[in-house]
Every structure is written in C-alpha cells, then in structure tokens.
Amino acid sequence: KYLPRQRHPHAPALHAFAAIGVGPTRGYELIASGALVARKVGTSTMIETDSLRRYAAGLPRIQPKECAA
C-alpha cells in the first residue's frame, strides 16, 4: 500500500501494517517491541506515522546483483 502522508500523524493499525508489508501478528509484535508506537483512540489502535517511517528507513537495503556481460 502506501505510507500515510505527514499531515496525518496516525494511521489505523491494519493499514499501517499493510504499508510496511507485515500482517497483524507481526505488526502487534513490532508494537510490543517498541519498534512501532501505537495509541488507542476509543477501541481503535492507531500507529504513529513517524514510527512507521523510522521502521521502514531502518530496514536493510537490497543490494543489486551485478549483471554478467
């Protein structure tokens, strides 16, 4: 999906998890570990978009393979 724009400080948990390519179980593990910051709004879990960006930025880059000529 997409990372929410900066103008929205929070994103619904399932949308946030999809944006970084993880499912609900792994997403809630990331919250428990402190890698993602969550807030409760009523009964909804919202993820701080800044924490999504920090998490995504910290993922390892894939090194391109060299082409055989």
Side-chain angles (χ1 to χ4, degrees):
K1 294 236 176 179
Y2 66 97
L3 287 179
R5 299 205 187 286
Q6 185 62 28
R7 61 190 166 115
H8 299 290
H10 300 92
L14 296 180
H15 291 262
F17 301 155
I20 58 172
V22 301
T25 300
R26 180 67 179 133
Y28 286 106
E29 288 171 353
L30 291 170
I31 292 170
S33 74
L36 294 179
V37 179
R39 307 262 181 212
K40 290 300 272 188
V41 179
T43 58
S44 299
T45 301
M46 304 294 280
I47 308 299
E48 290 185 1
T49 54
D50 286 343
S51 72
L52 282 175
R53 286 186 177 80
R54 281 191 301 274
Y55 176 78
L59 294 174
R61 289 183 180 217
I62 297 173
Q63 297 299 321
K65 293 181 181 180
E66 294 191 26
C67 295

